[in-house]
Amino acid sequence: MPSGTEIVRKAGRAVGRVQGVGFRYFVRNSAKILGVTGWVKNMEDGSVKMEMQGEPQIIEQLIEKIKKGRGRIKVSELELSDLPVAEGEKNFAIRK
């Protein structure tokens, strides 16, 4: 990324029909297309947690995609909070 480019990191927790419908793969693939780094993980309570890092306007695009969903994916709630930037992160992973 060019120097001087602002980077932000967000934590997210998605609730709704987000497990067993390809949600993690949808988030990872969307993030990769947009050039966002971070990770996504299923939680035992049925929610999905994620961290996403990139330029603010790109993160907003990813958040809008997540809220909109696709196919059987239905996000009823998306909680977001700010995090410190993680230095040296290179990709977007699905965590087990």
Side-chain angles (χ1 to χ4, degrees):
M1 286 188 196
S3 63
T5 304
E6 185 188 1
I7 300 296
V8 297
R9 188 172 187 90
K10 299 266 186 198
R13 179 175 174 266
V15 178
R17 194 184 314 136
V18 292
Q19 287 194 16
V21 291
F23 179 72
R24 292 175 301 160
Y25 298 93
F26 168 66
V27 172
R28 181 192 64 190
N29 292 342
S30 298
K32 284 187 170 188
I33 288 166
L34 292 168
V36 171
T37 63
W39 55 266
V40 62
K41 178 181 180 177
N42 280 347
M43 304 308 289
E44 287 186 12
D45 66 1
S47 69
V48 176
K49 285 197 174 177
M50 65 199 81
E51 290 188 10
M52 46 203 153
Q53 181 169 297
E55 295 176 31
Q57 65 274 22
I58 303 292
I59 295 297
E60 284 305 315
Q61 287 178 37
L62 180 57
I63 289 167
E64 288 309 309
K65 276 182 167 279
I66 291 168
K67 286 179 179 175
K68 190 174 175 186
R70 189 186 73 198
R72 294 172 43 222
I73 296 165
K74 176 76 176 93
V75 177
S76 57
E77 191 179 332
L78 183 61
E79 302 165 4
L80 295 164
S81 59
D82 295 321
L83 289 173
V85 170
E87 296 297 328
E89 188 173 64
K90 298 273 189 264
N91 58 22
F92 198 99
I94 293 175
R95 291 189 176 173
K96 301 289 181 208

